[in-house]
Amino acid sequence: QHRFVRFFRDASPPQKENLYNLLQEFYEAAKKSEWFARHEFIGSSLLIVYDRNDRQKSGLWCIDFGRTHPAPQPLMHTVPWVLGNHEDGYLVG
């Protein structure tokens, strides 16, 4: 199984809650960010790191900005991509 799937199967409730909180904080910050709204993120990823031995150690970072470009209009990042709309669905996967 994929490690991320195993994490959600095997991790302790505090580990799951910590990761959920990091994802929620990122989502809320991104929705409020004018800079985030004015860029399209093509090929970017979220890097999630956690320590299976220390339930409080985890982190979440955006990485791979090589094809991130200014958008011609503000984007929501919650809308699926359709040819010409510049949306990337970044906040919904």
Side-chain angles (χ1 to χ4, degrees):
Q1 276 187 336
H2 191 274
R3 288 182 181 166
F4 199 66
V5 172
R6 283 196 318 256
F7 169 81
F8 280 99
R9 185 191 67 210
D10 300 337
S12 69
Q15 286 173 316
K16 292 176 188 178
E17 183 177 355
N18 191 30
L19 180 55
Y20 174 81
N21 289 338
L22 288 171
L23 288 165
Q24 191 65 37
E25 288 173 19
F26 170 76
Y27 181 83
E28 294 301 326
K31 281 179 52 176
K32 293 176 185 175
S33 170
E34 185 175 319
W35 186 88
F36 194 80
R38 296 193 177 278
H39 288 81
E40 52 186 318
F41 297 87
I42 308 303
S44 181
S45 303
L46 293 178
L47 173 63
I48 298 169
V49 178
Y50 67 94
D51 183 338
R52 71 178 180 176
N53 298 316
D54 186 339
R55 296 177 179 163
Q56 299 305 313
K57 287 186 180 178
S58 57
L60 174 73
W61 295 270
C62 296
I63 61 170
D64 302 327
F65 294 105
R67 295 189 300 164
T68 297
H69 303 284
Q73 74 272 346
L75 303 176
M76 302 210 27
H77 299 288
T78 57
V79 176
W81 178 83
V82 176
L83 183 62
N85 75 352
H86 295 278
E87 286 287 353
D88 51 27
Y90 199 88
L91 295 177
V92 294

